[in-house]
Amino acid sequence: MAIQLDVASLPAAPMPLLAGWFGEARGAGLAEPRAMVLSTADQGGAPSARTVLATVIDDSGITFHSSHPTRKTRDLAENPRACVVFGWYDIGAQVVLTGTVERLPAAETDAAFAARPRYLQLLAWAYERDSDPDDLAGAAAGERDRWGERIPDRPPGWLGFRLRPEVVDFWRGPVGAGPAAAADTGAGTAHERVRYALGGGSWHLSRELP
């Protein structure tokens, strides 16, 4: 199943379109459609990237969570801007979002932690206590004994973030090939790329070269 991009009837803002594509990625049975590459940079501009899971996609942006301290949380403290990439190449789609990143309020982060499976809650506490990375299963078992029947509180270092996009780039092309591979191989001719850019309080839409 290939994703569709009807340029003639695009929404005025990008997030409804992203939500629709995300729904199609989930419906297609992709292994983990929430997976996104998160790129950050430190105060000096040195970049780094890693794959994280989006926890919420809505009109306000993309939320994700992380234990602290990590490279990404240090980068975001120094330079609160980031770029994320959803690569849904099995349905011929890629979405790139760039914008500012803010810390989520404690209450919102608490609620997200409470919704996680218990094992992941215990594992977060194992990370919080700097447990031996070679024995995380044993550390999680120790946390299970420590908390007993109680619901674990959120570790202070388990943080929530929201990326508020300022530029969102949608690419649609051949199934199984991302933009670079499609360009190198000449696979297919039905490429489409559109970009939403935020300016003056409103979104501006343009068509881009594939």
Side-chain angles (χ1 to χ4, degrees), residues 84-97:
V84 300
V85 180
F86 290 98
W88 297 317
Y89 304 122
D90 286 346
I91 58 172
Q94 175 181 276
V95 185
V96 183
L97 303 93

Side-chain angles (χ1 to χ4, degrees), residues 38-63:
L38 169 68
S39 298
T40 59
D42 64 18
Q43 194 171 30
S48 63
R50 76 290 292 158
T51 301
V52 301
L53 293 181
T55 51
V56 177
I57 298 174
D58 60 21
D59 287 346
S60 66
I62 306 291
T63 66

